[in-house]
Amino acid sequence: MTVRRDFKEPARCRPDLVIGRAELLSAAREQLARGGSVLLHGPAGIGKSTALRALASEYGTAAHTVLRCSATESESHLPFLALADLLGLVVDEVSDKLPAAQRTALESALTGRGESTLQRDGLALRLAVLSALRALAAEAPVLVVADDLQWLDPASAELLGFAARRLGDTRVQLLCAVRTEGQEYDRHLSASPPDTLAVRLGALSRAQVSTLLDHRGYTGLPRSTVREIHRTSGGNPLFALELGRALAENPTPPRPGEPLPVPTSLRALVLNRLGMLSDEARRTLLVASAGARPTLALLRAAGRDNAEAETAQAAELGLLATEPEGPAVRFAHPLISAALYAEAPAQERRDAHAALSTAASDPIERARHLALATTGTDPEAAARLAEAAALARDRGAPSVAASLGLLAARHTPADGEPGPDERRLQAAEDAITAGEVDLARDIAREVLTRATTPADRVRAWMVVIEAAGQALGDVDTVYPQALADAGDDPRLLALVHYQLAWRSLVVDGDFAEGRQEAAHAAELAARGGDRRTELLSLAFQAQTETLMGHPDAPATIKRALKEPQDPQVACHHNGPGATRYRWLIMSDQLPEARSTVNALLREVRRRGMVESEVHFVRLLAETELRSGHCGRALDLARESMRLARDSGIGEMPSAVLASIAEASGGDVERALTLGREAVELAEQAGDQMYTSRGLTALGHAQLVAGDAEGAVHSLRRVRELEHGLGITDPARGRWHGDLAEALVRIGALDEARQLLDVAREQALRLDRESVLAVLDRAEALMRAARGEHEAALAQLTSVQDRLAKLGYALEEARAAFALASLRTGRAGPASYDEAARLFRRCRALPWVRQVEAAAVARRVEPISPPAASEGLEGLAAMERQVAALVMEGATNREIAARLFISVKTVEATLTRVYRKLGIRSRVDIVRLAAQRRAK
């Protein structure tokens, strides 16, 4: 088929809708932009056709002619069919440009008249295709788009390959896709132009599969289900979408522990070789599909005596992957296992699980198989499942514990002790620990539809609140219902008031109210003998007191750290250990803070506490950033973002930290994007605390990017928010130095002075040494802006030494940079060497680039400031400095960098200088100075 310049693809094929292929498509785009060809390859369903259409829609408009063919298996036996698709509509345009023999052969092949064959007209036909492409390309570029090369009829494939190998510099590009397994694309690549780039499309990540499902309308799936879709599909987008569709159309979800339902379309795709298996071999594979980690020994123990021969037969048919090393029985694709299980009758499945319930060596596996082999309630099976859930919990597998807990509830009689709802709630709490908040919320809501006992109802309400994450305003109606259900029971009331403390902080932004609620919750929990809630409440109280600069904070931290401790609370991200970490890092004890958070991270990983892991990875990144290890901090921040987006937990705080890390050691534009994203998420959730933190990150990124006005706007909002929240400790967000520096850059020196005075008073009261040093750095810049150069130099020298001793390497480097900028007029570009060395040691790439740019801008030897500034006594300090630098020949941008102000501020200052001196331009300033010196 031939498509002219108006070639367009449907909207659904726009490149921005191709999910998870950004890097691969970028490489393909670069290749096409260079005039090269691209071969996309990968297994069935991996998204080759989607990527092909996206690239064709972009680059098709750049070609005068697009030649397209898309072969199918059913038509691959028809000779010259693909050739007719490609050239059928343009043969009339080029036929008169071909030699007679070539024209006759080509027309015969395309029309079917004359019974042309490769054997008879081989050379003429080959040359005709090559000549036709050259004739088309002589007019304008040609793009050949060929999908499913594996189904091209042999004659067309031979002709296209012959021409492709001989195109040379002809303006013809090939954009093709072919189904391959492994690296089996060599023969297709050899039939392509020599400069062809082979791009293999691989499996999507779990997060990408989740995005794909959402985009196609399969929204609201629990994260545990998305995880199972990703595992079963092997990251194949077609398989994932078909599984998502089957779940959407199936009114009965699979039981906990069961594989996903596999639609008929996929069963036919992966099980077409099952008919060649014997019945016994098929039963053996069914047992393997039911097992978690099947081995030959396990299959034999489950009664499959001929397992070795039967699995070998299945491997020959491609159903099992060969494992030359090790005893594992592994399916060639997870979907084969799921389809085989879905195809089997229910009784055969139960028989397989019954056999595995005695054959499996692991008690958790035995209990799971017993449950899936049992129908109806069974107290013994329920008890074994509850024990297995507890074991999984102790092993750090809360997701497995949740699944087993639901199975235990399913088999628990209504009058059992504990009852089915109690076991469901334990499963919901395990799901919260595992980060599966959607599953937890669904369980809690189900329990609330029938629970009547106050303990079960309050416990369910707590799960609903926990599942809301930062969006506590969305569950405002829950709190009064939970208080009503709690009655006068101090244990239940403690749970509710602990959550009310969080609501006061997150929704109302009231630290004082949050502190009071936490103290009340701790008192109630102690009265009711609930040590776990007491510890969480004390940790919350200590955290708010720390941020408020409250004098009771150290004493409350000690109370929270007293024995006895609850092992899980001790390492929880809202527990005493995390509160102690926050105190350490705010008190400039960086080595101890690092060892504390590393220990917490190891423990939560061992316990499978996903939400806490997200938080502690982020806190470790923050510690490394403070220490000046920007590369390590950036890696950790990006890991935290991946974890947060994959689990749906902590996306807002992870975006905040990632923004700061990118601004310090990565990509400033990325930092700005993440900062805006964090602010938007926080404002949507109504979370004033994280709105403040998001704006802090955004303001810092704006300062690094050179946007002083933007930084001032963002950080002024932070100041207003923290004042309203009651936060007085400047070590909480450490934004005061950035705001003061930005204010100096825009010439708002009085506001900078006032800000520094207030922040210094609080920092002195709380003994925040590093904060004081950063404030002094900003004050030195302010002094320099007022012309107090000697005092500024002395202050910056002291600041750099103090920050080095405290271990704040990045802040030390920033002080060295400021010092070099003030000394430049005397020492020249070489004075930037130390700042560059310190920033490189930190791997602070954005700052290294700033130093290099500043050094380049100062290569011209300046005129001596005293001589240049003669005759400027009537100007203000900032105006005099700007005018003096104009006399030196500095550009507005160079002046802005040297004085740490914005270009707009330079322009406004010059306007005032012109007005006061009665002149019109920069040239007049130089002339005026020269005239006065001549006198």
Side-chain angles (χ1 to χ4, degrees):
M1 180 176 67
T2 305
V3 185
R4 292 296 181 181
R5 285 186 183 275
D6 60 354
F7 166 80
K8 290 185 179 178
E9 284 291 326
R12 57 184 169 78
C13 300
R14 292 200 317 269
D16 59 317
L17 301 183
V18 180
I19 293 166
R21 306 298 188 196
E23 187 174 345
L24 294 176
L25 289 186
S26 176
R29 288 188 185 101
E30 290 177 8
Q31 173 73 356
L32 291 167
R34 288 193 295 266
S37 297
V38 173
L39 175 68
L40 305 172
H41 67 99
I46 205 65
K48 302 180 297 299
S49 296
T50 302
L52 184 84
R53 289 194 298 266
L55 290 169
S57 70
E58 288 185 60
Y59 288 92
T61 53
H64 178 74
T65 301
V66 176
L67 308 176
R68 177 183 289 275
C69 70
S70 183
T72 62
E73 184 177 12
S74 62
E75 297 173 341
S76 60
H77 65 286
L78 300 174
F80 305 120
L81 181 62
L83 185 67
D85 284 344
L86 288 171
L87 299 177
L89 297 181
V90 293
V91 67
D92 291 341
E93 295 181 25
V94 299
S95 61
D96 59 344
K97 301 175 184 177
L98 305 181
Q102 294 181 22
R103 181 169 60 249
T104 300
L106 182 58
E107 290 176 349
S108 177
L110 295 179
T111 62
R113 295 191 297 271
E115 298 182 356
S116 177
T117 65
L118 279 177
Q119 288 74 20
R120 189 178 65 197
D121 303 319
L123 182 58
L125 193 50
R126 288 174 171 85
L127 292 174
V129 173
L130 178 59
S131 299
L133 290 174
R134 284 174 173 167
L136 289 169
E139 298 293 329
V142 174
L143 179 67
V144 177
V145 181
D147 199 2
D148 284 319
L149 285 183
Q150 74 278 2
W151 303 132
L152 247 62
D153 62 274
S156 296
E158 166 62 25
L159 293 169
L160 186 60
F162 176 87
R165 290 190 295 270
R166 291 164 177 81
L167 287 170
D169 295 332
T170 307
R171 293 184 296 175
V172 178
Q173 295 173 266
L174 270 65
L175 175 58
C176 306
V178 61
R179 181 186 300 181
T180 58
E181 295 295 338
Q183 299 296 313
E184 302 166 3
Y185 63 91
D186 290 346
R187 67 183 180 91
H188 298 286
L189 195 59
S190 65
S192 303
D195 64 344
T196 298
L197 172 70
V199 177
R200 177 168 178 78
L201 274 66
L204 298 181
S205 68
R206 188 195 307 174
Q208 289 165 350
V209 165
S210 178
T211 302
L212 177 66
L213 292 167
D214 287 344
H215 174 66
R216 293 301 178 88
Y218 305 126
T219 57
L221 293 173
R223 293 189 179 274
S224 56
T225 302
V226 173
R227 183 179 63 239
E228 189 61 21
I229 288 176
H230 178 257
R231 188 197 67 79
T232 302
S233 68
N236 184 296
L238 172 65
F239 296 171
L241 287 171
E242 286 295 296
L243 290 168
R245 181 179 61 80
L247 281 169
E249 294 175 354
N250 188 354
T252 306
R255 296 167 64 191
E258 283 187 342
L260 297 175
V262 179
T264 305
S265 58
L266 290 186
R267 294 188 202 181
L269 182 64
V270 300
L271 298 180
N272 52 7
R273 287 162 285 188
L274 270 184
M276 302 175 67
L277 284 176
S278 66
D279 289 344
E280 289 302 310
R282 184 168 179 148
R283 290 192 184 95
T284 295
L285 289 193
L286 175 60
V287 175
S289 72
R293 294 174 296 276
T295 62
L296 288 173
L298 177 66
L299 294 175
R300 285 193 291 267
R304 310 311 303 166
D305 298 334
N306 297 318
E308 192 164 359
E310 289 161 353
T311 54
Q313 181 190 3
E316 289 176 4
L317 293 172
L319 294 166
L320 295 178
T322 55
E323 294 283 355
E325 316 231 348
V329 175
R330 186 169 64 85
F331 285 88
H333 192 283
L335 190 61
I336 297 175
S337 173
L340 181 66
Y341 187 92
E343 189 82 1
Q347 186 56 53
E348 287 188 19
R349 289 190 234 171
R350 285 195 292 270
D351 291 343
H353 286 297
L356 289 168
S357 70
T358 58
S361 59
D362 185 82
I364 292 176
E365 275 300 291
R366 289 200 301 271
R368 183 178 75 87
H369 289 302
L370 175 63
L372 294 173
T374 305
T375 58
T377 59
D378 186 323
E380 181 182 350
R384 284 182 57 183
L385 284 161
E387 291 169 4
L391 181 58
R393 200 175 303 119
D394 291 341
R395 288 182 181 178
S399 180
V400 175
S403 177
L404 292 168
L406 288 174
L407 286 170
R410 182 185 293 271
H411 293 294
T412 300
D415 58 352
E417 184 60 41
D421 280 345
E422 188 172 344
R423 283 178 167 155
R424 286 188 183 92
L425 289 170
Q426 179 61 65
E429 290 164 358
D430 287 330
I432 287 284
T433 302
E436 297 177 11
V437 294
D438 296 334
L439 175 62
R441 184 190 302 110
D442 291 344
I443 295 170
R445 293 290 188 189
E446 180 192 351
V447 169
L448 286 166
T449 61
R450 59 175 174 270
T452 57
T453 60
D456 285 351
R457 292 190 62 80
V458 171
R459 195 173 170 188
W461 288 127
M462 296 303 99
V463 170
V464 171
I465 293 172
E466 288 281 355
Q470 298 291 129
L472 293 180
D474 294 347
V475 291
D476 256 348
T477 58
V478 167
Y479 300 97
Q481 296 178 73
L483 283 170
D485 285 330
D488 56 2
D489 187 326
R491 290 176 65 94
L492 300 181
L493 286 170
L495 292 171
V496 182
H497 282 282
Y498 172 68
Q499 295 296 347
L500 282 169
W502 277 106
R503 188 200 172 283
S504 297
L505 184 65
V506 172
V507 179
D508 296 336
D510 191 332
F511 272 63
E513 179 65 24
R515 174 181 175 270
Q516 290 178 5
E517 287 283 6
H520 185 40
E523 179 188 344
L524 288 166
R527 197 191 319 159
D530 182 357
R531 182 61 174 164
R532 181 180 187 279
T533 303
E534 182 186 8
L535 289 169
L536 285 170
S537 301
L538 287 170
F540 181 95
Q541 181 183 345
Q543 181 180 351
T544 54
E545 288 175 348
T546 299
L547 296 177
M548 294 168 66
H550 197 286
D552 290 349
T556 308
I557 292 174
K558 286 182 181 178
R559 287 177 61 200
L561 291 169
K562 278 185 179 179
E563 296 293 341
Q565 286 287 319
D566 180 289
Q568 188 162 350
V569 172
C571 63
H572 192 274
H573 61 279
N574 288 325
T579 301
R580 179 172 178 270
Y581 159 82
R582 180 56 62 191
W583 175 264
L584 289 169
I585 201 166
M586 291 176 70
S587 302
D588 300 324
Q589 300 179 54
L590 295 181
E592 194 171 352
R594 181 185 291 105
S595 61
T596 298
V597 75
N598 267 315
L600 290 167
L601 183 57
R602 284 194 299 270
E603 183 62 16
V604 298
R605 281 175 169 164
R606 187 186 73 80
R607 291 177 173 271
M609 299 167 65
V610 174
E611 183 174 8
S612 293
E613 180 184 2
V614 172
H615 283 270
F616 289 139
V617 169
R618 188 182 72 254
L619 295 181
L620 181 57
E622 181 181 345
T623 310
E624 298 296 354
L625 198 58
R626 297 278 174 85
S627 304
H629 305 152
C630 297
R632 170 69 172 151
L634 185 59
D635 289 342
L636 288 165
R638 289 172 175 171
E639 179 186 350
S640 176
M641 278 296 298
R642 286 193 297 270
L643 282 169
R645 286 176 172 166
D646 193 28
S647 64
I649 294 172
E651 292 185 66
M652 196 188 307
S654 292
V656 169
L657 195 278
S659 173
I660 298 172
E662 291 283 356
S664 301
D667 184 330
V668 179
E669 287 302 317
R670 175 69 175 152
L672 291 167
T673 299
L674 285 166
R676 294 186 184 102
E677 177 184 323
V679 173
E680 183 179 356
L681 287 170
E683 289 179 338
Q684 287 175 352
D687 188 331
Q688 295 185 58
M689 184 170 66
Y690 269 104
T691 298
S692 164
R693 299 193 68 174
L695 286 166
T696 298
L698 178 59
H700 177 72
Q702 289 167 323
L703 183 68
V704 176
D707 181 9
E709 287 91 346
V712 167
H713 175 73
S714 297
L715 296 175
R716 277 174 175 164
R717 285 190 62 196
V718 175
R719 181 173 59 189
E720 294 168 6
L721 283 166
E722 291 206 354
H723 178 74
L725 289 166
I727 297 173
T728 59
D729 193 335
R732 182 258 184 181
R734 296 177 181 264
W735 50 267
H736 305 75
D738 281 351
L739 177 54
E741 183 173 332
L743 288 167
V744 170
R745 290 191 189 185
I746 68 170
L749 302 184
D750 290 340
E751 184 181 348
R753 172 79 273 169
Q754 184 180 9
L755 167 71
L756 290 171
D757 289 344
V758 172
R760 182 176 283 108
E761 181 183 353
Q762 296 293 347
L764 284 168
R765 180 176 65 85
L766 297 167
D767 195 24
R768 303 300 192 221
E769 285 295 325
S770 65
V771 173
L772 287 167
V774 169
L775 295 175
D776 283 350
R777 184 182 66 206
E779 183 177 46
L781 296 176
M782 184 181 67
R783 287 183 170 183
R786 286 178 168 161
E788 303 171 22
H789 288 278
E790 294 304 324
L793 289 170
Q795 191 169 21
L796 282 172
T797 302
S798 170
V799 165
Q800 183 179 346
D801 181 60
R802 287 155 59 195
L803 288 168
K805 289 177 180 177
L806 288 169
Y808 285 78
L810 181 58
E811 299 295 351
E812 175 197 356
R814 287 181 64 178
F817 186 21
L819 194 58
S821 299
L822 293 185
R823 285 175 173 166
T824 297
R826 303 177 182 186
S831 62
Y832 285 100
D833 289 349
E834 183 183 9
R837 177 183 64 80
L838 292 175
F839 280 131
R840 288 193 183 98
R841 185 182 69 182
C842 295
R843 287 182 58 192
L845 301 183
W847 289 103
V848 170
R849 289 190 284 269
Q850 284 197 40
V851 173
E852 291 173 346
V856 169
R858 308 296 196 281
R859 290 197 188 281
V860 179
E861 240 352 88
I863 300 171
S864 172
S869 59
E870 288 177 4
L872 305 181
E873 294 80 2
L875 302 178
M878 175 66 74
E879 295 165 351
R880 189 164 54 249
Q881 289 181 73
V882 170
L885 289 170
V886 168
M887 294 174 190
E888 294 175 10
T891 65
N892 286 2
R893 186 172 295 279
E894 291 168 352
I895 295 170
R898 191 158 172 180
L899 296 181
F900 295 94
I901 59 179
S902 69
V903 174
K904 287 184 179 180
T905 301
V906 174
E907 294 169 350
T909 304
L910 280 174
T911 299
R912 293 195 299 273
V913 170
Y914 299 156
R915 186 175 64 250
K916 289 183 178 181
L917 297 180
I919 58 179
R920 295 185 177 182
S921 69
R922 297 166 60 92
V923 176
D924 291 336
I925 293 180
V926 179
R927 288 175 178 166
L928 182 62
Q931 292 169 1
R932 292 181 178 177
R933 280 198 300 271
K935 294 176 182 178

